[in-house]
Amino acid sequence: RQLIRQKIEEFLGASAPSENTALPESTLRYQQQVRETVHEINNPLSILKNYLQLFARNPDTRINPEELKLMDGEIERMAGLLNSLREVAPAPLQASTTDLNAVVTGLGNMLGTVLAGTSPNKVNLVLRCASEPLPVRANPDALKQILTNLIKNATESFVTGGDITLTTKGRVNFMDQVYTQLIVADNGAGIEESRMHCLFTQTGSSKGGTHSGTGLVIVKRLVDELQGKISCQSDSNGTAFSILLPQAK
């Protein structure tokens, strides 16, 4: 993981313009694509690393075949992200009929296990999925990227631990169109008011340090590509992201 990051950062550094040189627009777009790919690869790598740490601490832990299947899917997702760098412009998402509940339950259970066993603070992941299947027209990997980014952001909002709740609902009417809803909510510290007006643009993060706000930029782009809507409500009691996705016809 560190080697991958180092090589890509070397590429970005080597491509940086001098004071008197302006890079072509296509190069700037590709650099942004590389930065986003680095960000997105770190997410599944962290999941796999933490999962392996769980087994190292508890070697007698029974391996869940479904979770192994999900981890294999995360490896495939990383391979797809790396392959996308071969193209100057990323290919459009390939959408299919996907059960939102299945994606949320599968990834949520795996991340819940990882967070409960490796987080320095006690983080509980709660699932409140609709009782019936919720077919949406979406790309499963894009849904996983959206969920992983929002859950990761939520965990970083906690000071001494807290709860993250994933909720799914069907038949939500918005502007006379019927959607399926996904809500990712936490009871963390909330987002600074000064950040709320530019939440989905890359202007830095309220988390400070090396955080750049890339995750929410990616989330917004993916939701747009899925022809969905995203909104956020945040105060001192926590943050909730609401995503509306078109129902599959």
Side-chain angles (χ1 to χ4, degrees):
R1 173 171 147 184
Q2 290 179 340
L3 180 60
I4 293 173
R5 175 182 284 274
Q6 178 184 345
K7 293 298 183 183
I8 294 177
E9 286 179 347
E10 286 175 358
F11 161 76
L12 292 174
S15 302
S18 65
E19 293 183 1
N20 300 318
T21 304
L23 287 175
E25 183 65 27
S26 60
T27 302
L28 293 173
R29 285 198 304 268
Y30 185 68
Q31 284 188 343
Q32 181 60 27
Q33 182 185 346
V34 171
R35 291 188 183 95
E36 291 187 5
T37 300
V38 172
H39 182 279
E40 289 304 278
I41 286 176
N42 269 331
N43 286 337
L45 278 176
S46 296
I47 294 170
L48 295 172
K49 177 184 176 183
N50 290 337
Y51 209 87
L52 290 173
Q53 286 178 348
L54 278 180
F55 287 111
R57 294 175 187 173
N58 305 287
D60 295 329
T61 300
R62 183 179 177 182
I63 298 177
N64 186 325
E66 285 301 314
E67 290 181 350
L68 279 180
K69 184 178 178 181
L70 284 167
M71 285 191 285
D72 182 66
E74 290 299 288
I75 293 172
E76 289 294 325
R77 186 155 71 90
M78 284 189 289
L81 288 167
L82 286 172
N83 284 332
S84 70
L85 291 179
R86 295 176 178 176
E87 305 296 332
V88 175
L93 291 176
Q94 299 298 314
S96 60
T97 299
T98 303
D99 182 7
L100 179 63
N101 276 349
V103 175
V104 172
T105 301
L107 188 63
N109 284 335
M110 184 175 72
L111 289 176
T113 301
V114 169
L115 289 172
T118 62
S119 177
N121 299 318
K122 184 173 177 55
V123 177
N124 299 311
L125 192 60
V126 181
L127 302 183
R128 293 179 179 168
C129 294
S131 56
E132 71 277 4
L134 296 177
V136 294
R137 188 72 181 168
N139 179 287
D141 283 346
L143 292 177
K144 291 177 183 177
Q145 281 182 261
I146 291 168
L147 272 170
T148 304
N149 274 299
L150 292 180
I151 292 171
K152 181 173 180 288
N153 273 15
T155 61
E156 292 171 349
S157 73
F158 298 130
V159 178
T160 57
D163 299 323
I164 302 171
T165 304
L166 309 183
T167 305
T168 62
K169 299 179 180 180
R171 297 190 295 276
V172 176
N173 184 296
F174 177 75
M175 301 290 289
D176 288 336
Q177 184 170 347
V178 180
Y179 292 89
T180 294
Q181 186 177 33
L182 167 65
I183 302 171
V184 180
D186 66 68
N187 56 357
I191 300 171
E192 295 176 1
E193 186 174 353
S194 61
R195 279 280 297 143
M196 290 296 289
H197 73 284
C198 57
L199 201 56
F200 301 109
T201 56
Q202 195 152 349
T203 57
S205 166
S206 61
K207 291 175 283 187
T210 59
H211 297 287
S212 61
T214 302
L216 290 179
V217 174
I218 294 171
V219 167
K220 177 65 165 61
R221 174 173 56 78
L222 291 173
V223 171
D224 287 346
E225 289 186 36
L226 295 175
Q227 299 181 350
K229 313 288 183 185
I230 184 169
S231 62
C232 174
Q233 184 280 325
S234 186
D235 55 32
S236 59
N237 296 313
T239 299
F241 285 91
S242 171
I243 296 171
L244 298 176
L245 297 169
Q247 289 185 333
K249 296 180 181 180

